[in-house]
Amino acid sequence: MNSFRSLNIMYLKGIGPSRAELLQKELGIATYYDLLHHFPSHYVDRSVIYKVRDLNGEMPYVQLKGRFVSFNILGEGARSRLVALFSDGTATMEVVWFRRIKQIRELYKTGNEYIIFGKPTLFNHTWSMVHPEVDLPSALTAAQGFRGVYPLTEKLRNKGIGSRTIFGWIQTLLSTRGAEIKETLSASLLEELHLMPLREAIQVIHNPKDNNSLQRARFRLKFEELFFLQLNMRRYSRKRNGVVQGFRFSRVGSYFNNFYSNYLPFPLTGAQKRVIKEIRKDMGSGRQMNRLLQGDVGSGKTVVALLTTLIALDNNVQACLMAPTEILATQHFETISKLVAPIGVNVKLLTGSTRKKEREEIDRQLQDGTLHILIGTHAVIEEKVKFRNLGFVIIDEQHRFGVVQRARLWQKNVIPPHILVMTATPIPRTLAMTVYGDLDVSVIDELPPGRKPVQTIMRYENQRFNVYRSIGRQLREGRQVYIVYPLITENEKLDLKSLEEGYESVCETFPSYKVAFVHGKMKPKEKDYQMGLFASGEAQILVATTVIEVGVNVPNATTMVIENAERFGLSQLHQLRGRVGRGADQSYCVLMTKQKIARETRQRLEIMTETTDGFVVAEADLKMRGPGDLEGTMQSGIAFDLHIANLATDGQIVQLAHDWSEKILDSDPELASPENMPLRNTLRFIVDRAIDFGRIS
Ligand code: ADP
Ligand code: MG
């Protein structure tokens, strides 16, 4: 494709400015390119017409051919709906519309034959279809093969824009400008990998004739997406390695040695020792380090951060550690300043609520070099925070901290500081390759000795009494308990209500204990105060939303009850569960659900009861739900959005894309050869587009 791809879709026949705006807002479709890359999420075989009599519960979208027998408007006002009886001679079903009732009533006639298309559901022993697409039978003969079903939103449907509408626009675009689609991959790639040319692939993905060519088109488009992602990342990291000089931390000196021999509170695990060696080697290489440290919750990343920081200090630079929340930053500050107190290291805490006077002191010490380690929230990387000689930056649990943000850190010093990103989110390999493709990875794959795995059980609402009884037992033994509610989200009012009711019911059930209460909508001060009550042991129970997800360390807390567990993703449940099992005592995690949950939901939750291995949980999560959440929180790490490739299921293509981008860059690092011209141009187009998009959203 070339110049026409950037044209605004409002110029396409049938769209116009107001629909263009809607499409941009709802689906992010702004240009011809975007529209052509709005791929069907699935397909139905147009040659198959189902019978109402043969419908069953497992069916996705189907088409039926028959006549409307009657139309009735039921209910009133906002609850009114149009219900039609539809018969195909084998049986009768209901077709229901909640919106655009008047138009629809006028559009369709009883007695005429129509093809209806939608998802059948069984309700009160009657099949029904809500807001189906309705066509005249002639539409069928016009085009055979598969029919794409395009992703849509409620709002678009409300405005009468359906899958067919989108299909129609794409057809218009293909027939008027399709010939201008230019190849984006090099000839040799197409040949070596037997890829379908782009123009054909785009044509086929919107109008597949058979499954074989559809699969080839999908493969080609997936490969392309993942390939440019990898190409961009590999090129970027090669450039960095080639050009950017880093500090060479050549020695291990007295800060490290003194602490290691005299003040280390426990022997390191083998895994901790190994990753420290990896980091040390990296920091001594003369190249700037960009490393990801992965380790499950409780695997002991903090002490690794500290020991490697001491190596930095031994080489006469300053270090900073950034945490996502004030609570976590404070906890890091307390842990670390206590540990290093005997070896004369100066540590300070900087957050949004640091007083002006303290802040001035910090600024002064940062610049005269007497401050060794600065710990804090985002505040530490603000422009105005100036270090004398920043050599090492640690970023804890910040998935949103992508390539761009990291690059900004380099400017904090003449020589860019080494960067260590720490995360407890276990990222499956292919995802890591994509999201953190520019980072080297170290993994702590071993927990400190003596940990008892958290016992996880599922309980239904009607077993609540028993759950409370076990909580009571733990409390009497002097232990503390978390009770977690889903994050306050879409239905804010309802969520808050259930949280508050939960809080009251807990207070009533355990009148002799103090209950702390936090949620994300609280003022930070109040939140910190409540968290403080629990952390200090003054409160024995903490009722909370997922604000406690990351990092909070209260080893005396041995039980966590998660309410409406079905509303959480597995990875999130795993993070939450990591808050207990931090001491020597046996800990428990209770997943509460309502009685009636879908089979898949139960299977999903059962994984939690079967394993405490974060990687197993993450793989399962990725398989069952797709990278959704994980990817969402890491989008900024990727910078591009994926239209067709699926990081969960396309691992092999990720690998292929990775290997080929390496191979091409090996022989042509600047993509300067005429052969690679399409690659260079496409990469520039995609990157510019991602940047523009970033600016808009
Ligand atoms: P995370 O990786 O989740 O950040 P932390 O660094 O907070 O884990 O460590 C969790 C707990 O384990 C802390 O209380 C810490 O003191 C303890 N710990 C870390 N490493 C070891 C070790 N090698 N032996 C015993 N306890 C350890
Ligand atoms: Mg931690």
Side-chain angles (χ1 to χ4, degrees):
M1 264 180 280
N2 59 3
S3 55
F4 90 100
R5 65 190 170 187
S6 302
L7 288 179
N8 191 312
I9 43 159
M10 75 179 175
Y11 300 117
L12 191 74
K13 196 166 158 252
I15 295 189
S18 69
R19 287 175 154 191
E21 201 184 311
L22 198 63
L23 284 170
Q24 154 87 54
K25 218 159 106 208
E26 293 296 303
L27 298 172
I29 298 176
T31 61
Y32 284 12
Y33 174 93
D34 298 334
L35 186 60
L36 287 178
H37 286 78
H38 189 64
F39 302 137
S41 54
H42 54 280
Y43 296 85
V44 283
D45 187 343
R46 295 192 215 197
S47 60
V48 179
I49 303 243
Y50 285 87
K51 299 282 179 219
V52 177
R53 191 182 51 205
D54 299 334
L55 293 180
N56 67 56
E58 307 284 296
M59 281 182 182
Y61 288 75
V62 298
Q63 25 179 43
L64 304 161
K65 185 156 97 175
R67 294 164 209 277
F68 291 115
V69 180
S70 64
F71 287 96
N72 286 297
I73 296 176
L74 304 179
E76 275 180 25
R79 315 198 65 165
S80 68
R81 59 195 187 275
L82 176 64
V83 179
L85 286 183
F86 181 88
S87 166
D88 67 352
T90 67
T92 303
M93 69 182 293
E94 283 185 358
V95 176
V96 186
W97 291 269
F98 295 100
R99 298 170 300 270
R100 303 176 61 241
I101 290 177
K102 244 180 81 196
Q103 288 114 297
I104 286 165
R105 180 66 197 88
E106 282 164 15
L107 208 53
Y108 307 128
K109 308 273 173 282
T110 52
N112 288 358
E113 194 163 62
Y114 294 100
I115 306 280
I116 65 170
F117 169 75
K119 193 175 162 48
T121 50
L122 194 59
F123 189 71
N124 281 344
H125 306 289
T126 307
W127 285 104
S128 69
M129 209 180 256
V130 177
H131 280 246
E133 284 178 21
V134 181
D135 275 325
L136 294 173
S138 56
L140 253 192
T141 43
Q144 285 301 320
F146 294 99
R147 167 167 159 174
V149 181
Y150 290 89
L152 284 170
T153 64
E154 264 318 288
K155 199 144 183 200
L156 288 169
R157 282 203 192 88
N158 286 347
K159 300 268 176 183
I161 297 175
S163 187
R164 291 298 278 170
T165 329
I166 306 246
F167 174 79
W169 289 331
I170 292 172
Q171 295 311 309
T172 306
L173 184 49
L174 281 172
S175 63
T176 52
R177 313 295 296 255
E180 293 170 58
I181 298 175
K182 287 230 177 76
E183 185 50 59
T184 48
L185 295 176
S186 60
S188 61
L189 259 178
L190 288 181
E191 193 181 327
E192 296 247 19
L193 292 169
H194 307 289
L195 297 173
M196 191 183 265
L198 180 62
R199 192 182 307 155
E200 187 184 345
I202 297 263
Q203 184 70 38
V204 168
I205 194 123
H206 294 295
N207 302 283
K209 294 279 174 280
D210 59 75
N211 194 37
N212 191 29
S213 60
L214 174 60
Q215 292 318 319
R216 285 196 59 216
R218 286 176 59 82
F219 184 87
R220 139 86 213 210
L221 292 165
K222 285 178 177 189
F223 176 81
E224 167 165 0
E225 239 174 38
L226 294 168
F227 173 75
F228 283 111
L229 196 66
Q230 287 295 328
L231 194 65
N232 187 43
M233 227 165 232
R234 303 315 308 162
R235 199 168 64 144
Y236 179 84
S237 83
R238 276 165 187 252
K239 204 174 269 172
R240 189 192 68 218
N241 288 345
V243 178
V244 181
Q245 292 289 306
F247 284 101
R248 186 184 297 278
F249 292 168
S250 50
R251 63 177 169 216
V252 171
S254 61
Y255 283 129
F256 182 95
N257 287 330
N258 184 9
F259 181 80
Y260 194 86
S261 325
N262 304 315
Y263 302 104
L264 194 65
F266 36 68
L268 297 180
T269 63
Q272 284 170 325
K273 282 187 194 155
R274 176 171 43 75
V275 301
I276 289 170
K277 265 197 206 124
E278 286 167 4
I279 295 166
R280 206 191 126 190
K281 188 160 162 238
D282 218 2
M283 295 196 299
S285 73
R287 289 195 294 115
Q288 185 231 357
M289 175 176 79
N290 274 275
R291 188 168 278 277
L292 174 70
L293 176 60
Q294 271 188 15
D296 212 342
V297 276
S299 61
K301 293 185 290 296
T302 315
V303 74
V304 171
L306 175 60
L307 282 164
T308 49
T309 298
L310 294 179
I311 296 175
L313 301 194
D314 279 334
N315 288 272
N316 302 315
V317 299
Q318 293 167 303
C320 82
L321 191 164
M322 187 170 87
T325 63
E326 192 153 340
I327 297 165
L328 204 53
T330 309
Q331 232 172 33
H332 274 315
F333 172 73
E334 281 164 2
T335 311
I336 288 176
S337 50
K338 214 177 287 158
L339 284 170
V340 298
I343 61 166
V345 166
N346 183 11
V347 191
K348 289 224 175 321
L349 176 68
L350 177 66
T351 68
S353 48
T354 301
R355 293 279 151 82
K356 188 152 173 275
K357 206 147 164 232
E358 171 72 0
R359 177 150 198 150
E360 282 165 5
E361 180 62 15
I362 289 173
D363 282 339
R364 201 178 54 71
Q365 293 190 3
L366 276 178
Q367 291 193 35
D368 68 18
T370 49
L371 183 54
H372 299 108
I373 307 174
L374 181 64
I375 296 178
T377 51
H378 259 86
V380 301
I381 60 154
E382 278 169 19
E383 200 84 44
K384 59 184 175 197
V385 180
K386 296 258 186 317
F387 292 78
R388 183 188 174 89
N389 195 15
L390 179 65
F392 189 32
V393 179
I394 299 170
I395 298 157
D396 193 20
E397 289 299 350
Q398 305 233 37
H399 305 133
R400 287 179 180 279
F401 212 77
V403 179
V404 180
Q405 286 87 343
R406 284 199 298 277
R408 200 169 296 148
L409 279 178
W410 302 359
Q411 271 116 53
K412 282 253 154 219
N413 211 57
V414 183
I415 303 175
H418 294 303
I419 295 174
L420 184 68
V421 179
M422 304 199 295
T423 180
T425 308
I427 305 158
R429 214 174 66 89
T430 53
L431 197 56
M433 217 185 234
T434 315
V435 178
Y436 288 125
D438 66 320
L439 297 182
D440 299 308
V441 181
S442 289
V443 183
I444 306 184
D445 51 7
E446 179 186 353
L447 291 181
R451 291 276 171 80
K452 294 196 184 74
V454 179
Q455 272 183 30
T456 304
I457 48 177
M458 282 177 69
R459 288 290 179 263
Y460 295 123
E461 195 49 49
N462 65 350
Q463 294 160 308
R464 181 172 293 277
F465 179 72
N466 290 343
V467 172
Y468 278 169
R469 210 165 44 195
S470 336
I471 293 179
R473 229 170 6 244
Q474 292 286 315
L475 291 170
R476 277 196 299 282
E477 283 174 21
R479 304 282 169 258
Q480 287 165 278
V481 175
Y482 291 103
I483 301 177
V484 184
Y485 282 79
L487 192 65
I488 293 180
T489 50
E490 318 88 48
N491 202 334
E492 206 169 285
K493 276 211 185 100
L494 211 71
D495 281 348
L496 192 58
K497 183 158 166 273
S498 78
L499 180 67
E500 278 167 351
E501 280 171 4
Y503 170 69
E504 276 160 25
S505 125
V506 169
C507 291
E508 272 166 32
T509 316
F510 303 104
S512 47
Y513 296 97
K514 191 167 173 64
V515 186
F517 180 54
V518 289
H519 60 77
K521 297 273 143 143
M522 267 178 173
K523 295 225 168 67
K525 272 239 161 63
E526 175 65 8
K527 199 156 73 184
D528 282 353
Y529 171 74
Q530 294 284 335
M531 279 305 301
L533 286 179
F534 189 69
S536 68
E538 214 172 306
Q540 293 76 35
I541 304 175
L542 177 67
V543 173
T545 55
T546 43
V547 288
I548 58 160
E549 194 177 335
V550 267
V552 185
N553 190 24
V554 183
N556 188 45
T558 50
T559 301
M560 171 172 289
V561 177
I562 302 178
E563 301 283 350
N564 297 112
E566 73 278 2
R567 284 177 58 186
F568 294 88
L570 286 186
S571 296
Q572 204 181 11
L573 288 173
H574 182 72
Q575 290 291 312
L576 283 169
R577 179 169 65 179
R579 300 303 112 216
V580 292
R582 307 200 132 225
D585 299 295
Q586 177 62 55
S587 291
Y588 306 91
C589 175
V590 185
L591 306 176
M592 295 294 296
T593 68
K594 52 185 193 262
Q595 213 91 350
K596 273 205 172 127
I597 51 172
R599 184 155 42 105
E600 306 91 79
T601 311
R602 201 180 50 239
Q603 283 169 351
R604 196 160 62 84
L605 293 177
E606 272 167 2
I607 291 168
M608 295 300 298
T609 66
E610 286 158 11
T611 184
T612 52
D613 183 328
F615 275 89
V616 176
V617 171
E619 290 279 1
D621 205 19
L622 199 56
K623 283 219 185 74
M624 299 181 101
R625 304 191 319 149
D629 263 20
L630 211 52
E631 192 187 45
T633 54
M634 296 185 193
Q635 266 302 343
S636 59
I638 303 190
F640 308 160
D641 41 352
L642 299 174
H643 290 102
I644 183 165
N646 178 333
L647 295 173
T649 48
D650 295 330
Q652 283 183 342
I653 311 181
V654 172
Q655 184 74 54
L656 194 67
H658 171 268
D659 295 351
W660 276 91
S661 54
E662 284 287 72
K663 198 163 154 178
I664 289 169
L665 289 171
D666 277 346
S667 63
D668 184 8
E670 293 299 320
L671 301 175
S673 73
E675 154 78 20
N676 289 329
M677 184 89 119
L679 302 183
R680 196 172 67 224
N681 290 340
T682 308
L683 195 57
R684 190 180 313 134
F685 171 73
I686 296 180
V687 170
D688 286 353
R689 198 173 155 270
I691 291 171
D692 276 351
F693 188 73
R695 245 183 252 131
I696 295 165
S697 57

PDB file of all heavy atoms in Angstrom, residues 573-594:
ATOM      1  N   LEU A 573      -5.484 -13.084  40.377  1.00  0.00           N
ATOM      2  CA  LEU A 573      -5.694 -13.883  41.579  1.00  0.00           C
ATOM      3  C   LEU A 573      -4.352 -14.331  42.150  1.00  0.00           C
ATOM      4  O   LEU A 573      -4.137 -14.331  43.354  1.00  0.00           O
ATOM      5  CB  LEU A 573      -6.566 -15.110  41.273  1.00  0.00           C
ATOM      6  CG  LEU A 573      -8.045 -14.849  41.015  1.00  0.00           C
ATOM      7  CD1 LEU A 573      -8.740 -16.127  40.561  1.00  0.00           C
ATOM      8  CD2 LEU A 573      -8.742 -14.295  42.251  1.00  0.00           C
ATOM      9  N   HIS A 574      -3.464 -14.683  41.244  1.00  0.00           N
ATOM     10  CA  HIS A 574      -2.156 -15.145  41.702  1.00  0.00           C
ATOM     11  C   HIS A 574      -1.393 -14.027  42.405  1.00  0.00           C
ATOM     12  O   HIS A 574      -0.766 -14.234  43.447  1.00  0.00           O
ATOM     13  CB  HIS A 574      -1.358 -15.672  40.514  1.00  0.00           C
ATOM     14  CG  HIS A 574      -0.019 -16.207  40.909  1.00  0.00           C
ATOM     15  ND1 HIS A 574       0.119 -17.388  41.600  1.00  0.00           N
ATOM     16  CD2 HIS A 574       1.230 -15.716  40.750  1.00  0.00           C
ATOM     17  CE1 HIS A 574       1.407 -17.604  41.836  1.00  0.00           C
ATOM     18  NE2 HIS A 574       2.097 -16.609  41.325  1.00  0.00           N
ATOM     19  N   GLN A 575      -1.455 -12.840  41.835  1.00  0.00           N
ATOM     20  CA  GLN A 575      -0.811 -11.686  42.470  1.00  0.00           C
ATOM     21  C   GLN A 575      -1.389 -11.444  43.853  1.00  0.00           C
ATOM     22  O   GLN A 575      -0.678 -11.206  44.813  1.00  0.00           O
ATOM     23  CB  GLN A 575      -1.035 -10.430  41.627  1.00  0.00           C
ATOM     24  CG  GLN A 575      -0.293 -10.416  40.329  1.00  0.00           C
ATOM     25  CD  GLN A 575       1.187 -10.278  40.535  1.00  0.00           C
ATOM     26  OE1 GLN A 575       1.636  -9.424  41.294  1.00  0.00           O
ATOM     27  NE2 GLN A 575       1.947 -11.148  39.919  1.00  0.00           N
ATOM     28  N   LEU A 576      -2.713 -11.489  43.923  1.00  0.00           N
ATOM     29  CA  LEU A 576      -3.375 -11.248  45.202  1.00  0.00           C
ATOM     30  C   LEU A 576      -2.950 -12.299  46.221  1.00  0.00           C
ATOM     31  O   LEU A 576      -2.594 -11.992  47.352  1.00  0.00           O
ATOM     32  CB  LEU A 576      -4.892 -11.291  45.025  1.00  0.00           C
ATOM     33  CG  LEU A 576      -5.523 -10.056  44.400  1.00  0.00           C
ATOM     34  CD1 LEU A 576      -6.968 -10.335  44.025  1.00  0.00           C
ATOM     35  CD2 LEU A 576      -5.449  -8.876  45.364  1.00  0.00           C
ATOM     36  N   ARG A 577      -2.985 -13.531  45.792  1.00  0.00           N
ATOM     37  CA  ARG A 577      -2.666 -14.631  46.690  1.00  0.00           C
ATOM     38  C   ARG A 577      -1.249 -14.505  47.247  1.00  0.00           C
ATOM     39  O   ARG A 577      -0.967 -14.952  48.358  1.00  0.00           O
ATOM     40  CB  ARG A 577      -2.822 -15.946  45.925  1.00  0.00           C
ATOM     41  CG  ARG A 577      -2.495 -17.156  46.725  1.00  0.00           C
ATOM     42  CD  ARG A 577      -2.912 -18.408  46.009  1.00  0.00           C
ATOM     43  NE  ARG A 577      -2.174 -18.627  44.765  1.00  0.00           N
ATOM     44  CZ  ARG A 577      -2.349 -19.677  43.977  1.00  0.00           C
ATOM     45  NH1 ARG A 577      -3.249 -20.590  44.286  1.00  0.00           N
ATOM     46  NH2 ARG A 577      -1.660 -19.815  42.872  1.00  0.00           N
ATOM     47  N   GLY A 578      -0.387 -13.874  46.452  1.00  0.00           N
ATOM     48  CA  GLY A 578       0.989 -13.685  46.889  1.00  0.00           C
ATOM     49  C   GLY A 578       1.131 -12.813  48.131  1.00  0.00           C
ATOM     50  O   GLY A 578       2.201 -12.725  48.727  1.00  0.00           O
ATOM     51  N   ARG A 579       0.056 -12.152  48.532  1.00  0.00           N
ATOM     52  CA  ARG A 579       0.109 -11.329  49.758  1.00  0.00           C
ATOM     53  C   ARG A 579       0.124 -12.198  51.010  1.00  0.00           C
ATOM     54  O   ARG A 579       0.486 -11.728  52.079  1.00  0.00           O
ATOM     55  CB  ARG A 579      -1.087 -10.366  49.857  1.00  0.00           C
ATOM     56  CG  ARG A 579      -1.249  -9.366  48.752  1.00  0.00           C
ATOM     57  CD  ARG A 579      -0.041  -8.507  48.580  1.00  0.00           C
ATOM     58  NE  ARG A 579       0.599  -8.826  47.321  1.00  0.00           N
ATOM     59  CZ  ARG A 579       1.903  -8.838  47.109  1.00  0.00           C
ATOM     60  NH1 ARG A 579       2.723  -8.534  48.074  1.00  0.00           N
ATOM     61  NH2 ARG A 579       2.390  -9.150  45.948  1.00  0.00           N
ATOM     62  N   VAL A 580      -0.353 -13.432  50.905  1.00  0.00           N
ATOM     63  CA  VAL A 580      -0.264 -14.337  52.064  1.00  0.00           C
ATOM     64  C   VAL A 580       0.806 -15.388  51.786  1.00  0.00           C
ATOM     65  O   VAL A 580       1.339 -15.474  50.678  1.00  0.00           O
ATOM     66  CB  VAL A 580      -1.625 -15.010  52.399  1.00  0.00           C
ATOM     67  CG1 VAL A 580      -2.615 -13.973  52.899  1.00  0.00           C
ATOM     68  CG2 VAL A 580      -2.185 -15.758  51.203  1.00  0.00           C
ATOM     69  N   GLY A 581       1.136 -16.154  52.818  1.00  0.00           N
ATOM     70  CA  GLY A 581       2.187 -17.161  52.653  1.00  0.00           C
ATOM     71  C   GLY A 581       3.562 -16.536  52.702  1.00  0.00           C
ATOM     72  O   GLY A 581       4.513 -17.049  52.139  1.00  0.00           O
ATOM     73  N   ARG A 582       3.678 -15.389  53.364  1.00  0.00           N
ATOM     74  CA  ARG A 582       4.958 -14.687  53.407  1.00  0.00           C
ATOM     75  C   ARG A 582       5.715 -14.977  54.691  1.00  0.00           C
ATOM     76  O   ARG A 582       6.845 -14.542  54.856  1.00  0.00           O
ATOM     77  CB  ARG A 582       4.737 -13.186  53.280  1.00  0.00           C
ATOM     78  CG  ARG A 582       3.904 -12.842  52.083  1.00  0.00           C
ATOM     79  CD  ARG A 582       4.075 -11.409  51.687  1.00  0.00           C
ATOM     80  NE  ARG A 582       4.316 -11.365  50.266  1.00  0.00           N
ATOM     81  CZ  ARG A 582       5.246 -10.641  49.680  1.00  0.00           C
ATOM     82  NH1 ARG A 582       6.026  -9.868  50.380  1.00  0.00           N
ATOM     83  NH2 ARG A 582       5.405 -10.694  48.383  1.00  0.00           N
ATOM     84  N   GLY A 583       5.050 -15.654  55.633  1.00  0.00           N
ATOM     85  CA  GLY A 583       5.748 -15.998  56.861  1.00  0.00           C
ATOM     86  C   GLY A 583       5.928 -17.501  56.902  1.00  0.00           C
ATOM     87  O   GLY A 583       5.778 -18.185  55.896  1.00  0.00           O
ATOM     88  N   ALA A 584       6.246 -18.026  58.107  1.00  0.00           N
ATOM     89  CA  ALA A 584       6.500 -19.464  58.215  1.00  0.00           C
ATOM     90  C   ALA A 584       5.204 -20.266  58.374  1.00  0.00           C
ATOM     91  O   ALA A 584       5.202 -21.481  58.217  1.00  0.00           O
ATOM     92  CB  ALA A 584       7.422 -19.732  59.391  1.00  0.00           C
ATOM     93  N   ASP A 585       4.091 -19.593  58.705  1.00  0.00           N
ATOM     94  CA  ASP A 585       2.858 -20.330  58.981  1.00  0.00           C
ATOM     95  C   ASP A 585       2.143 -20.760  57.707  1.00  0.00           C
ATOM     96  O   ASP A 585       2.249 -20.116  56.674  1.00  0.00           O
ATOM     97  CB  ASP A 585       1.890 -19.442  59.780  1.00  0.00           C
ATOM     98  CG  ASP A 585       2.500 -19.047  61.095  1.00  0.00           C
ATOM     99  OD1 ASP A 585       2.726 -19.931  61.930  1.00  0.00           O
ATOM    100  OD2 ASP A 585       2.791 -17.832  61.259  1.00  0.00           O
ATOM    101  N   GLN A 586       1.379 -21.827  57.814  1.00  0.00           N
ATOM    102  CA  GLN A 586       0.538 -22.252  56.700  1.00  0.00           C
ATOM    103  C   GLN A 586      -0.470 -21.145  56.384  1.00  0.00           C
ATOM    104  O   GLN A 586      -1.142 -20.629  57.274  1.00  0.00           O
ATOM    105  CB  GLN A 586      -0.201 -23.538  57.055  1.00  0.00           C
ATOM    106  CG  GLN A 586      -1.143 -24.023  55.985  1.00  0.00           C
ATOM    107  CD  GLN A 586      -0.404 -24.361  54.695  1.00  0.00           C
ATOM    108  OE1 GLN A 586       0.532 -25.155  54.691  1.00  0.00           O
ATOM    109  NE2 GLN A 586      -0.811 -23.738  53.598  1.00  0.00           N
ATOM    110  N   SER A 587      -0.597 -20.799  55.135  1.00  0.00           N
ATOM    111  CA  SER A 587      -1.558 -19.767  54.749  1.00  0.00           C
ATOM    112  C   SER A 587      -2.643 -20.335  53.845  1.00  0.00           C
ATOM    113  O   SER A 587      -2.467 -21.390  53.247  1.00  0.00           O
ATOM    114  CB  SER A 587      -0.847 -18.632  54.023  1.00  0.00           C
ATOM    115  OG  SER A 587      -0.036 -17.930  54.917  1.00  0.00           O
ATOM    116  N   TYR A 588      -3.738 -19.569  53.774  1.00  0.00           N
ATOM    117  CA  TYR A 588      -4.897 -20.031  53.025  1.00  0.00           C
ATOM    118  C   TYR A 588      -5.430 -18.933  52.120  1.00  0.00           C
ATOM    119  O   TYR A 588      -5.400 -17.754  52.472  1.00  0.00           O
ATOM    120  CB  TYR A 588      -6.014 -20.454  53.985  1.00  0.00           C
ATOM    121  CG  TYR A 588      -5.562 -21.477  54.994  1.00  0.00           C
ATOM    122  CD1 TYR A 588      -5.047 -21.080  56.222  1.00  0.00           C
ATOM    123  CD2 TYR A 588      -5.612 -22.836  54.694  1.00  0.00           C
ATOM    124  CE1 TYR A 588      -4.588 -22.010  57.139  1.00  0.00           C
ATOM    125  CE2 TYR A 588      -5.162 -23.777  55.601  1.00  0.00           C
ATOM    126  CZ  TYR A 588      -4.649 -23.364  56.825  1.00  0.00           C
ATOM    127  OH  TYR A 588      -4.204 -24.288  57.714  1.00  0.00           O
ATOM    128  N   CYS A 589      -5.948 -19.367  50.985  1.00  0.00           N
ATOM    129  CA  CYS A 589      -6.622 -18.429  50.101  1.00  0.00           C
ATOM    130  C   CYS A 589      -7.972 -19.032  49.749  1.00  0.00           C
ATOM    131  O   CYS A 589      -8.047 -20.156  49.244  1.00  0.00           O
ATOM    132  CB  CYS A 589      -5.784 -18.207  48.847  1.00  0.00           C
ATOM    133  SG  CYS A 589      -6.597 -17.173  47.633  1.00  0.00           S
ATOM    134  N   VAL A 590      -9.036 -18.286  50.049  1.00  0.00           N
ATOM    135  CA  VAL A 590     -10.375 -18.802  49.811  1.00  0.00           C
ATOM    136  C   VAL A 590     -11.000 -18.036  48.648  1.00  0.00           C
ATOM    137  O   VAL A 590     -11.138 -16.813  48.708  1.00  0.00           O
ATOM    138  CB  VAL A 590     -11.265 -18.634  51.064  1.00  0.00           C
ATOM    139  CG1 VAL A 590     -12.619 -19.295  50.834  1.00  0.00           C
ATOM    140  CG2 VAL A 590     -10.577 -19.212  52.288  1.00  0.00           C
ATOM    141  N   LEU A 591     -11.360 -18.750  47.593  1.00  0.00           N
ATOM    142  CA  LEU A 591     -12.005 -18.106  46.446  1.00  0.00           C
ATOM    143  C   LEU A 591     -13.515 -18.256  46.604  1.00  0.00           C
ATOM    144  O   LEU A 591     -14.050 -19.352  46.479  1.00  0.00           O
ATOM    145  CB  LEU A 591     -11.543 -18.768  45.153  1.00  0.00           C
ATOM    146  CG  LEU A 591     -10.032 -18.848  44.950  1.00  0.00           C
ATOM    147  CD1 LEU A 591      -9.694 -19.626  43.678  1.00  0.00           C
ATOM    148  CD2 LEU A 591      -9.427 -17.448  44.882  1.00  0.00           C
ATOM    149  N   MET A 592     -14.179 -17.150  46.900  1.00  0.00           N
ATOM    150  CA  MET A 592     -15.635 -17.195  47.085  1.00  0.00           C
ATOM    151  C   MET A 592     -16.319 -16.931  45.748  1.00  0.00           C
ATOM    152  O   MET A 592     -15.962 -15.999  45.034  1.00  0.00           O
ATOM    153  CB  MET A 592     -16.091 -16.102  48.057  1.00  0.00           C
ATOM    154  CG  MET A 592     -15.599 -16.248  49.472  1.00  0.00           C
ATOM    155  SD  MET A 592     -16.265 -17.690  50.325  1.00  0.00           S
ATOM    156  CE  MET A 592     -18.008 -17.310  50.365  1.00  0.00           C
ATOM    157  N   THR A 593     -17.309 -17.758  45.428  1.00  0.00           N
ATOM    158  CA  THR A 593     -18.101 -17.466  44.240  1.00  0.00           C
ATOM    159  C   THR A 593     -19.562 -17.698  44.569  1.00  0.00           C
ATOM    160  O   THR A 593     -19.888 -18.341  45.557  1.00  0.00           O
ATOM    161  CB  THR A 593     -17.766 -18.391  43.050  1.00  0.00           C
ATOM    162  OG1 THR A 593     -18.205 -19.714  43.368  1.00  0.00           O
ATOM    163  CG2 THR A 593     -16.299 -18.395  42.745  1.00  0.00           C
ATOM    164  N   LYS A 594     -20.432 -17.175  43.702  1.00  0.00           N
ATOM    165  CA  LYS A 594     -21.827 -17.495  43.876  1.00  0.00           C
ATOM    166  C   LYS A 594     -22.049 -18.946  43.460  1.00  0.00           C
ATOM    167  O   LYS A 594     -21.173 -19.566  42.831  1.00  0.00           O
ATOM    168  CB  LYS A 594     -22.711 -16.538  43.081  1.00  0.00           C
ATOM    169  CG  LYS A 594     -22.332 -16.417  41.619  1.00  0.00           C
ATOM    170  CD  LYS A 594     -23.207 -15.357  40.981  1.00  0.00           C
ATOM    171  CE  LYS A 594     -23.116 -15.405  39.497  1.00  0.00           C
ATOM    172  NZ  LYS A 594     -22.307 -14.578  38.745  1.00  0.00           N
TER     173      LYS A 594
END
